[in-house]
């Protein structure tokens, strides 16, 4: 069966351990460009190394990924409940539980090089109640277009991600030019930091699979991938920035407390101490004639 764009495939040379989408086929049909189905990896492969995965094979591989996703979501919800109890105590002064209050979590601008991943992330943001503005653009376009978006959206948190990959044939691991898209992520972070140099006024996550972690952190990212040059999961950026969004602005976030809830962990993700963005306010006044009750709300 002929390989077509959009097919879900595996690589024989890697024992079909990951699922990929075919995104491009060379004119002579000898090379295909692949994007990870769950991992933020992009790769070129010979056509004869590619095999189309049937539904049962896909489900078998996805089952392990889904279990990891559920575990990360469960851990995040546990952390969120702790944050919520702390927030309620602070908002009410620890005394009057009958007072109503509202919360303002940090607003996210998520720029993604993959529209499929972007939609998947937006679904999770919605599930977690994180305010987000999402937009898809090619990684190569990000340095020119993201600065204007920052002025338009005025986010508290910026996510710059998509696909990336390290190629040993292009250089050593410390050579930025040996990476597919790291150079674009680095330029985008630098330009964003020119507009807002304070790491606690604009939190930045940058990178994808195998990205040049050290360059991204030096450029001004709070969190980045990938310290061990491993693949990261498509949803990892969401868990990191959601933790920051729902942490109070008076609290600093321990890096490990953020990484432990991700799917990839500290091999694929790292960062620096960062202040949260959540602010609480009160009261919420009811303008109808019904009895008022204690409430929490997002505005």
């Amino acid at each position: 069966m002929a390989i077509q764009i959009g097919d879900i495939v595996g690589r024989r040379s890697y024992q079909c351990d990951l699922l990929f989408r075919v995104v491009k086929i060379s004119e002579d049909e000898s090379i295909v460009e692949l994007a990870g189905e769950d991992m933020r990896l992009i790769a070129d492969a010979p056509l004869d190394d590619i095999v189309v995965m049937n539904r049962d094979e896909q489900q078998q591989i996805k089952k392990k990924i889904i279990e990891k996703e559920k575990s990360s979501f469960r851990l995040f919800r546990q952390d969120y409940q702790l944050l919520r109890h702390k927030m309620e105590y602070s908002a009410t002064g620890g005394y009057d539980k009958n007072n109503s209050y509202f919360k303002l979590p940090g607003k996210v601008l998520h720029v993604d090089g993959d529209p499929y991943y972007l939609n998947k992330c937006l679904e999770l943001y919605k599930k977690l109640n994180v305010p987000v503005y999402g937009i898809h653009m090619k990684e190569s376009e990000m340095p020119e277009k993201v600065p204007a978006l920052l002025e338009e959206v005025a986010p508290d948190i910026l996510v710059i991600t998509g696909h990336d990959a390290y190629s040993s044939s292009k250089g050593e691991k410390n050579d930025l030019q040996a990476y597919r898209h790291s150079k674009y992520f680095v330029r985008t972070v630098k330009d964003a930091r020119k507009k807002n140099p304070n790491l606690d006024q604009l939190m930045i996550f940058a990178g994808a699979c195998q990205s040049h972690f050290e360059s991204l952190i030096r450029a001004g990212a709070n969190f980045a991938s990938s310290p061990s040059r491993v693949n990261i999961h498509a949803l990892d950026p969401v868990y990191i920035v959601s933790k920051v969004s729902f942490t109070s602005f008076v609290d600093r976030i321990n890096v490990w407390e953020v990484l432990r809830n991700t799917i990839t962990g500290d091999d694929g993700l790292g960062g620096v101490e960062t202040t949260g963005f959540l602010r609480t306010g009160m009261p919420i006044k009811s303008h109808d004639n019904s009895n008022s009750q204690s409430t929490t709300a997002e505005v």
Side-chain angles (χ1 to χ4, degrees):
M1 184 173 61
I3 300 291
Q4 298 179 345
I5 291 176
D7 282 347
I8 304 300
V9 302
R11 296 187 65 179
R12 291 189 177 94
S13 58
Y14 288 86
Q15 292 76 50
C16 297
D17 59 339
L18 296 176
L19 295 177
F20 292 90
R21 277 175 288 127
V22 177
V23 295
K24 188 176 181 181
I25 303 173
S26 64
E27 291 185 5
D28 61 4
E29 298 186 349
S30 63
I31 301 294
V32 293
E33 185 174 303
L34 306 172
E37 183 74 352
D38 297 292
M39 298 294 181
R40 289 185 173 276
L41 177 67
I42 194 166
D44 295 328
L47 185 63
D48 57 13
D49 189 35
I50 300 305
V51 57
V52 176
M53 307 293 284
N54 63 40
R55 187 178 296 273
D56 289 341
E57 291 168 332
Q58 291 181 40
Q59 290 302 318
Q60 188 175 357
I61 296 174
K62 277 185 170 292
K63 184 178 179 181
K64 297 178 181 178
I65 296 294
I66 291 172
E67 288 174 356
K68 291 180 179 179
E69 289 178 359
K70 288 182 177 178
S71 176
S72 289
F73 181 76
R74 185 169 59 253
L75 289 170
F76 181 87
R77 295 299 296 180
Q78 289 174 357
D79 267 9
Y80 174 75
Q81 291 303 320
L82 292 173
L83 288 172
R84 182 178 178 181
H85 291 321
K86 183 177 180 179
M87 175 186 64
E88 289 176 348
Y89 185 88
S90 297
T92 61
Y95 299 107
D96 188 356
K97 296 297 184 181
N98 292 318
N99 282 330
S100 59
Y101 65 93
F102 57 87
K103 54 187 177 181
L104 300 171
K107 182 170 65 172
V108 179
L109 169 59
H110 185 120
V111 184
D112 208 312
D114 188 309
Y116 170 80
Y117 283 169
L118 176 62
N119 288 333
K120 194 171 181 177
C121 288
L122 291 178
E123 289 176 4
L124 183 56
Y125 283 122
K126 183 177 180 180
K127 197 173 181 180
L128 298 173
N129 294 316
V130 177
V132 61
Y133 181 94
I135 187 167
H136 161 248
M137 69 176 65
K138 293 179 179 179
E139 291 85 352
S140 59
E141 297 175 346
M142 292 179 183
E144 285 72 35
K145 294 184 177 181
V146 168
L149 274 174
L150 285 173
E151 293 186 4
E152 178 183 345
V153 180
D156 302 300
I157 301 167
L158 171 64
V159 177
I160 306 161
T161 188
H163 290 291
D164 207 355
Y166 164 69
S167 176
S168 58
S169 64
K170 294 181 180 180
E172 300 294 329
K173 287 187 176 180
N174 60 357
D175 184 358
L176 192 60
Q177 300 307 312
Y179 295 78
R180 181 76 67 108
H181 290 142
S182 287
K183 56 183 174 291
Y184 302 123
F185 296 143
V186 168
R187 284 173 52 197
T188 306
V189 172
K190 286 182 177 179
D191 289 344
R193 279 289 169 235
K194 288 178 183 177
K195 289 186 169 295
N196 196 328
N198 191 319
L199 271 68
D200 290 330
Q201 291 180 359
L202 176 67
M203 179 273 190
I204 301 177
F205 174 94
C209 281
Q210 303 177 12
S211 290
H212 198 296
F213 170 78
E214 295 81 7
S215 290
L216 292 167
I217 293 296
R218 285 197 298 267
N222 300 65
F223 290 89
S225 61
S226 166
S228 297
R229 304 303 192 264
V230 300
N231 300 330
I232 70 167
H233 191 275
L235 299 178
D236 278 334
V238 178
Y239 286 114
I240 287 180
V241 303
S242 296
K243 173 77 171 181
V244 177
S245 175
F246 280 112
T247 297
S248 171
F249 76 101
V250 300
D251 293 330
R252 287 202 170 273
I253 300 165
N254 179 278
V255 175
W256 174 242
E257 288 182 356
V258 180
L259 301 184
R260 69 181 182 182
N261 291 346
T262 63
I263 298 168
T264 307
D266 60 355
D267 280 336
L269 304 156
V272 298
E273 284 185 318
T274 299
T275 299
F277 282 96
L278 180 75
R279 291 178 182 269
T280 56
M282 63 185 303
I284 298 174
K285 294 295 185 182
S286 175
H287 296 286
D288 58 29
N289 294 325
S290 59
N291 291 330
S292 178
Q293 294 182 346
S294 177
T295 60
T296 64
E298 295 180 8
V299 296

